[in-house]
Amino acid sequence: MSQPKLSQRSWAVPAALLAGDRRALARSISLIEHGELAVGVASEALAAHLGRAHVLGITGAPGAGKSTLVHAMLGELLARGQRIAVVAVDPSSPISGGAVLGDRVRMGEHGAHANVFIRSLATRGHLGGLSQSTEEIVDVMDAAGFDTIIIETVGAGQSEVEIMRVADTRLVACAPGMGDNVQAIKAGILEIADLLVVTKSDLPGSDAAARDLKDMLHLRPARSAIQWEVPVLKSCANTAQGVAGLLDAVAQHARVAGVGQRLKARRPAKSAVALDSGALVMQLASSDPFAQALGIRCVDAGKGHATVSLTLQQQHLNFNGTCHGGLVFALADSAFGLASNSYGKVAAGIDAHVTYQQAARLGDCLQARATEVSRSRKLAVYRVDVTRADGAVISSFTGTVYITDIDIATAAADAPQETI
Ligand SMILES: Nc1nc2c(ncn2[C@@H]2O[C@H](COP(=O)(O)OP(=O)(O)O)[C@@H](O)[C@H]2O)c(=O)[nH]1
Ligand SMILES: [Mg+2]
């Protein structure tokens, strides 16, 4: 187990950042990227300066033409007088690898423009998790006064779905003629799309790809929050054909959904800063390799409670196509473990009981919330409810821990540790 890094718990927002200074911006982003600020600190400090920018998330299979499309969009948005920032997130890229460099090259011509700022994130599993740090970096860009912030990410798994949640408008890109490309758009990704785009419309098969996507749209459950019908558009980044129309559709979605929408979905500022145990739990969650491997992330935490979430992917299913019971247990157990360790002393699970009420399926977003039922000096009991996004209870879990005298920080530093 890696040792949780001690990070700064407060941050004085540089005035130069708010004035849009590029060096201050780059430095602030580095602090987050390298885990020098504790999770939530940057967003908390910037709270009064957020909500001006429109955040556009773009995802799709590798090679779908996302970076090239972003480049074409930059040209069009610059012509419209905008200042634009881009975050390119590719968890599969090695630090000095081709894709990160390639993205810079592809967006390079506009990257040198004074009104454009491009940052490729080399993601090395820092504290706080990928979506959390992306969210905070987007906040920094928002505070620096950009009109549009574009997040490019590879649509391959759970972390990408989470990253796309950071955006106000989500665009899924799909190239024609790659038979299984449409298949590559996972259920979870399709579910969060606000716009679907067939890229490379100069290539054969773009009409068929558009038809496939329209068909797939019928499969996704209706969303009632706003009046918005997901359009399927076509673009050719090489000639910029369709790019202006695409950006018009993005702007229209911004109007319908409301700019700054991403901030409304956040929980009220009960931040990691104000709540030391919350920050501790967030750090524990992001340095838990098992939870990370399953795609479990902590969304809320404090003394004696924790909430974790996960969107069901193919690898979470069992042989009959429903969610694996072991995963539900792991999700509930993660919330249990975080809540019971939130006081800073190692708490060892000694008993757990779980009931399964309903099945969950591909694309479902599950949450497990652990709350403390009772606590004495040596024992504590927790209850965990696992729910689906529609509120249905999937599973109930109760667990008991034995509370040791060992500080969590010490235990982590002594790893590999003897277990009790
Ligand atoms: N024919 C054609 N090729 C394109 C277009 N857009 C991108 N490409 C090519 O598709 C490949 C992948 O593009 P890239 O933007 O790196 O894809 P990403 O991995 O989704 O970011 C590159 O070789 C591009 O030159 C297009 O509109 N038409
Ligand atoms: Mg790319």
Side-chain angles (χ1 to χ4, degrees), residues 62-63 65-68 88 90 99 102-103 106-107 152 154:
K66 298 178 296 297
S67 298
T68 319
D90 187 349
D103 282 345
R106 251 160 238 138
M107 301 177 201
E152 179 195 330
V154 177

Side-chain angles (χ1 to χ4, degrees), residues 19-84:
D21 178 77
R22 298 173 78 90
R23 274 175 51 204
L25 175 61
R27 232 177 292 128
S28 305
I29 291 173
S30 295
L31 287 179
I32 296 164
E33 199 187 0
H34 300 141
E36 287 170 46
L37 296 181
V39 171
V41 166
S43 295
E44 173 74 12
L46 291 167
H49 308 282
L50 302 182
R52 212 187 135 270
H54 182 66
V55 182
L56 170 64
I58 300 182
T59 194
K66 298 178 296 297
S67 298
T68 319
L69 178 61
V70 170
H71 176 265
M73 286 177 157
L74 287 175
E76 176 66 25
L77 289 170
L78 282 172
R80 295 183 187 188
Q82 290 205 9
R83 293 182 68 221
I84 314 107

Side-chain angles (χ1 to χ4, degrees), residues 5 17 60 90 96 104 125 158 206 258 299 350 364:
K5 217 193 303 184
L17 170 68
D90 187 349
S96 57
R104 285 229 180 97
Q158 165 67 17
S206 63
V299 293
I350 54 174
D364 279 347

